Amino acid sequence: MSITLLEGFHVASTFEKWALIAIVVVALLGLLYAWFLTRQTLNEPEGNEKMRKIANAIRTGGNAYLKTQFRTIALLVVILAIFVFLTGWFAGGTSVYNNPPWLIGLARMGGFLMGALFSGLVGYIGMNMAMRANARVAEASRTSFIKALKIGYRAGTITGMLTDGLGLLGGTIIFILFFEDAPLVLLGFGFGGTLLALFMRVGGGIYTKAADVGADLVGKVEKGIPEDDPRNAAVIADQVGDNVGDCAGMAADIFESYEVTIVSAMILGLILTITTGQLYWIIFPLLVRAAGVFSSIISTYSVKSTGEGENAMNAIHRGYILAACISIVSFFLFAQFYCHDLRFFWATSIGIALAVVIQFLTDYYTSTEHKPVKEIAKSSKTGAATLLLSGIGYGYESTVMSVIVIALSIVGSAIVWGATDNVLYIFYGIALCGIGQLTLTGNNIAMDSFGPIADNANGIAEMTGMEPKARKILADLDAVGNTTKAVTKGIAIASAVLAAVALFAAFYEDYDLKTINLIQWKVFVAFLIGGGIPFLFSSLAIRAVGRAAFFIVNEVRWQFANIKGLWEGTAEPDYSKVVSICTAAAQKELLTPALLAIVSPIVIGFLFGLEALAGFLAAVILVGQLLAVFMSNTGGAYDNAKKTIEDGLYGGKGSDSHKAAVVGDTVGDPLKDTAGPALNPLIKVINLVSVIAASLMVVPIAGGGFREVGLTPVTITVIVVGLLIIVGAFWYSKKQESFAKEDDK
């Protein structure tokens, strides 16, 4: 193993050696900043006994859910770790340093487990900090809007800095230890993070939206009571869901995007390093990420309101723009004085521009301040049907705008690197665009985690009957939190596409696939199936929410009808029963969508070949991106349209417009918080599994190159077993649906 690789590599300069040390130090500095913010947040007062009791109930429910989820997926993670080990041992590629295949397999498996561990830690610790901050934000709102915003945003920043620090640390350590063998290990690292993100996104999304839909349908629509009325048995589960879905799930999601963009850039960069003999192709992406950690530390700590009446989004935007400016200056300095090539600067700057444009574009389509949400709210005057149609229309429009922006960023990269005939440079530029876009990960995650913190704080305020001034502050923060969550989803989706395109390029480069010939029937069939996978995946996730919500609605109705004194407020509902229903439902439905993502590319590759698998991947990327943006933005717009009406527009709470908006919100909930965001890790899981498993689909031939294995007894067995797994998982999902029907009878 090349532990002392830098001494032996002829292009490693003194600057590059110290740069790697500095990158590790900056990663650790990001983690230290997260610890500092943790201490700062925990020193804030948590409020009165009633507020602490509710916060403890939320924390207990959230931790119980995650522990159950980790137990549920543990066996599959072990099985996949063995699979990753075997792909490294038997078909992991040739080691530059003549390391034995079993060692490459072990290293790849270690990378897989490290990626999974880091992804799980980011979600678990970040969620716990969000749950510890909620009551503190509620208490701060009694005295100051400025203080409430500061506590909520800085608590969210803890998750962001964990993502920054661990993601950068993991990728850099693997590179330092393995150098030119690093691509063989980085694939495992990226796959581990992406897999955990998929589980946490799907499971957390099912939990949170089942609770939310169940609480809203009985509470708001049937009983006409407020969203967080303590008489509603689903209210604690709803608060827990905000954390396991929007905090733990999203944190793991962005972490794996952060990982995979590093993995894709370093894989392509290492190929170019071997070609050109220059190390900056690999070091530059790591320097960019280190600059991002530094800029996030400065900018997130500077976020504060200039006055009590200011919109919180303005303060958050100022911090975001500050981070972007610091990062862009850093890109220029690294490109000019280290790489001596400003193409590096322009490629990463395009990524920053993409992140900023996506932020403002998502803000436009989901914020209460702009025309789309206002029009959707206005359409509620004629009922739920017109509101739903208006939201769908704006959702489709936002999808087109987003895909155009992403396409323009890829065009920009092609222009920057277009002087060369080697398409690998262009794809490397696209990878740098993804690196640049997620340079501001600390800010992005802070924005996202701020959402559930503000939502929980608002719920605690309502359940404890806090004074109107505090309630108004928290309602405003909650509305901004909905927008920040939608913005982060938009950025995550765009990053998923760029990372997937870069991995797609690595797939092409490794297996010398220059074209996808759609005239071939196998390729076209695989292309069609790939386009259908995101729809089937979304169908499974949304139906899972519907089934779980069915049981929750029945439970909440039963408690209202059978617990004496509940309606009068003299008795408490059984919150734990609904929490248990949500937890059990999420675990039952968790593995089916994940198995679809893991097994489908293996079946397609062995059945139809590598070119067909490439067509399959292209369709997954395209359709997955379009569907994810549509669902995320549409759901976010429905949510904020409801909030504008609850603030007094068109009759306010309890009016016919409000009931129509609640229906829209319940339809949008599983779109924006379950199926839509889960498509991000789906796209990357499918791509990573394809790159890893494709090595098992070919056999090296004398003189270089390879031939495809084709249909053999072994591959036919793999195909049949894979199809049985997919069919069995789908049958299990349908079986759960039949349980709901039986309960209805």
Side-chain angles (χ1 to χ4, degrees), residues 463-648:
M463 294 178 72
T464 57
M466 285 175 59
E467 53 273 19
K469 178 186 174 183
R471 290 296 317 282
K472 179 65 170 65
I473 288 173
L474 293 172
D476 290 343
L477 291 178
D478 190 12
V480 169
N482 280 330
T483 300
T484 59
K485 287 187 292 185
V487 165
T488 313
K489 291 182 180 76
I491 291 172
I493 293 165
S495 71
V497 175
L498 294 177
V501 169
L503 286 171
F504 197 49
F507 180 80
Y508 260 49
E509 185 68 25
D510 286 345
Y511 300 103
D512 198 28
L513 298 173
K514 301 303 181 187
T515 60
I516 303 176
N517 186 358
L518 289 177
I519 297 301
Q520 294 187 41
W521 70 268
K522 289 182 180 180
V523 178
F524 193 74
V525 167
F527 184 77
L528 292 176
I529 294 172
I533 289 293
F535 282 96
L536 179 57
F537 179 87
S538 300
S539 168
L540 293 170
I542 291 171
R543 288 210 315 270
V545 172
R547 287 192 292 273
F550 174 89
F551 292 115
I552 292 166
V553 166
N554 283 341
E555 175 62 27
V556 176
R557 285 174 177 169
W558 184 91
Q559 291 197 26
F560 271 121
N562 293 279
I563 297 180
K564 293 181 180 179
L566 179 58
W567 181 251
E568 294 77 14
T570 57
E572 282 192 353
D574 185 356
Y575 298 121
S576 61
K577 183 64 181 294
V578 180
V579 169
S580 298
I581 292 173
C582 288
T583 301
Q587 302 315 307
K588 286 180 182 177
E589 308 283 0
L590 181 64
L591 294 179
T592 301
L595 288 172
L596 177 67
I598 295 166
V599 176
S600 61
I602 296 174
V603 171
I604 291 294
F606 278 116
L607 185 60
F608 294 131
L610 292 184
E611 190 175 348
L613 180 57
F616 175 83
L617 295 179
V620 168
I621 294 169
L622 173 63
V623 177
Q625 190 274 335
L626 293 172
L627 194 56
V629 173
F630 166 73
M631 290 194 289
S632 294
N633 285 354
T634 302
Y638 283 146
D639 195 347
N640 272 342
K642 176 201 69 176
K643 289 191 181 299
T644 62
I645 294 172
E646 289 178 341
D647 286 340

Side-chain angles (χ1 to χ4, degrees), residues 44 49 166 169-170 217 221 246 278 308 312 327 383 461 489 511 554 575 632 663 730:
E44 297 291 341
E49 183 180 350
L166 291 176
L169 188 65
L217 287 179
V221 177
D246 289 330
Q278 297 297 324
E308 289 293 331
S327 296
K489 291 182 180 76
Y511 300 103
N554 283 341
Y575 298 121
S632 294
V663 172
F730 195 71

Side-chain angles (χ1 to χ4, degrees), residues 1 123 188 248 354 478 544:
M1 192 185 304
L354 174 62
D478 190 12

Side-chain angles (χ1 to χ4, degrees), residues 6-7 9-23 279 283 287 338:
L6 290 177
E7 282 70 14
F9 194 67
H10 67 280
V11 298
S13 66
T14 301
F15 171 80
E16 288 163 341
K17 296 174 184 178
W18 281 105
L20 285 173
I21 295 172
I23 290 166
L279 195 57
I283 300 291
L287 286 172
Y338 170 47

